[in-house]
Amino acid sequence: MSALAITWGAGPASAIAYGEDVPDGDYPFSVRLAMTGLPAAGGGTRDSSCSGALVAPAWVITAGHCFRDEDGTHVSRTVARRTTATVGRTDLDGGGGHEIEVVEVHQADGADVALARLADPVADVEPLRIATAAPRPGERVRLTGYGRTERTGEENAGRLQTGSFTVGAVGETLTEFSGRAPRRDTSACRHDSGGPYFRERSGGPELVAVVSTGPGCPHPGADLGARTDTLRGWITATVNGRSDPLDGLSATLGGLLVLLLVAPPAAYAVLRRQRHARHRS
C-alpha cells in the first residue's frame, strides 16, 4: 500500500471537466452545497459551492475544506451567512428534489471530510452507503459533481456531471483517482470538492472517497480523494448523535505511522505534489 499524506493548504477541486451529463433521476444522492455570504479576504462577502452526497436522511458528506474560516482552518460550523443543500435534482434549473438549509457541521479529525446536518430529513432519496472495503488499485469507480466543466468557464455546471475513474495509489487517508471515461483527462474541477467517488455494485452504489484536491483542470493523471471507509465508525456515530473524536484521530495516527515507517519516498513525493495542488471549492 502506498502512503499518501494530507497537507492542508493544498488547493480545492471543481465541476467535472470532460465529464458527461447525468440522465434525469440518476444518482439522486448527489448534493450541491451552495454557500451564500462567505467572508471574503479584505472584507465583504463572496459566494461559493461544493458537492457532496446524502449518506443519511438528514446528513450530507463532503470535503472538510468546504467549511473553513478566513485563515483556511477547517471548522465544525457553517461559515457562510446561509448554506443550502440541493438534493435529488439533476438539473439545477429544473424542479423536483429538495433545497434544505445546513444547520450543523462536524469535521473528521485528520481527514479532509466533513458531515453537514440538514434542517429537515430527506425521505424520498435513498442515501449512499459507506463502503466497508478499501478502494483497490486498478478498480473502476464513478464520480458525480456540480462544479465547473471545460464548457462553463467561470460558471458552475447547471446539470449534474459524471465520469469514470481508475483507482491509483491507496493510502491510509487519501487515494489517487485518474480519469478513464469519457476521456483520459476527465477530472474533478472547481466546486466538485466533496463530490462522491463510488463503486457501482449490483446491490447498490457505495462510497469510497470524496474529492479533496488536485492540479488545475482538465488534466490527465490523478486527483486525490479522502477515503471514507476508514471513517465509517465516525460517520455512523455522528449520524446517530454520539460522535467520538478518537475515531478520526486513530485514522490519523495510522496514516502517520505508515508515512514514517512504510513508504517515506512515495509519501514525500505526494507531499511535494500537493503543495502545488488546489482544493476543489
Side-chain angles (χ1 to χ4, degrees):
M1 177 180 289
S2 298
L4 304 182
I6 290 176
T7 301
W8 307 131
S14 8
I16 299 172
Y18 296 135
E20 55 192 353
D21 290 349
V22 169
D24 288 337
D26 285 4
Y27 317 124
F29 50 77
S30 301
V31 176
R32 179 176 186 258
L33 292 169
M35 289 84 163
T36 305
L38 284 164
T45 61
R46 63 183 181 90
D47 298 337
S48 189
S49 65
C50 280
S51 298
L54 191 75
V55 292
W59 292 89
V60 171
I61 196 166
T62 189
H65 70 258
C66 291
F67 297 96
R68 60 187 190 273
D69 63 17
E70 300 95 313
D71 298 324
T73 302
H74 297 194
V75 294
S76 290
R77 58 178 172 83
T78 58
V79 180
R81 183 176 67 253
R82 182 179 179 87
T83 302
T84 305
T86 301
V87 186
R89 183 178 299 170
T90 310
D91 185 347
L92 294 177
D93 295 325
H98 307 269
E99 292 185 13
I100 308 171
E101 187 170 2
V102 171
V103 294
E104 186 178 330
V105 175
H106 294 255
Q107 293 279 352
D109 290 319
D112 189 18
V113 176
L115 286 168
R117 186 171 68 85
L118 307 178
D120 299 297
V122 176
D124 58 354
V125 173
E126 184 174 356
L128 181 59
R129 296 198 311 269
I130 310 299
T132 57
R136 304 181 307 277
E139 181 180 13
R140 186 171 179 171
V141 298
R142 181 165 295 279
L143 170 66
T144 57
Y146 287 98
R148 296 177 187 167
T149 71
E150 81 288 353
R151 300 185 302 273
T152 57
E154 292 300 306
E155 298 297 325
N156 291 349
R159 187 178 187 89
L160 183 64
Q161 298 291 298
T162 189
S164 177
F165 292 76
T166 300
V167 175
V170 178
E172 291 295 315
T173 56
L174 290 173
T175 298
E176 292 181 331
F177 297 93
S178 298
R180 178 186 179 111
R183 294 170 48 147
R184 294 294 178 181
D185 54 354
T186 295
S187 49
C189 206
R190 288 195 65 81
H191 309 296
D192 279 332
S193 282
Y197 288 106
F198 55 94
R199 296 187 179 104
E200 296 181 284
R201 294 281 181 86
S202 57
E206 53 184 35
L207 181 70
V208 299
V210 297
V211 174
S212 177
T213 189
C217 61
H219 66 87
D223 286 301
L224 295 176
R227 282 179 60 180
T228 52
D229 61 289
T230 54
L231 298 173
R232 184 181 174 89
W234 170 77
I235 293 168
T236 301
T238 302
V239 165
N240 292 330
R242 54 177 193 276
S243 180
D244 183 355
L246 293 180
D247 289 339
L249 183 59
S250 63
T252 305
L253 294 176
L256 289 175
L257 187 62
V258 170
L259 173 63
L260 294 174
L261 300 181
V262 178
Y268 297 153
V270 171
L271 284 171
R272 287 197 299 270
R273 188 167 71 240
Q274 282 185 280
R275 290 193 185 101
H276 301 288
R278 294 182 297 174
H279 284 312
R280 301 302 195 187
S281 62

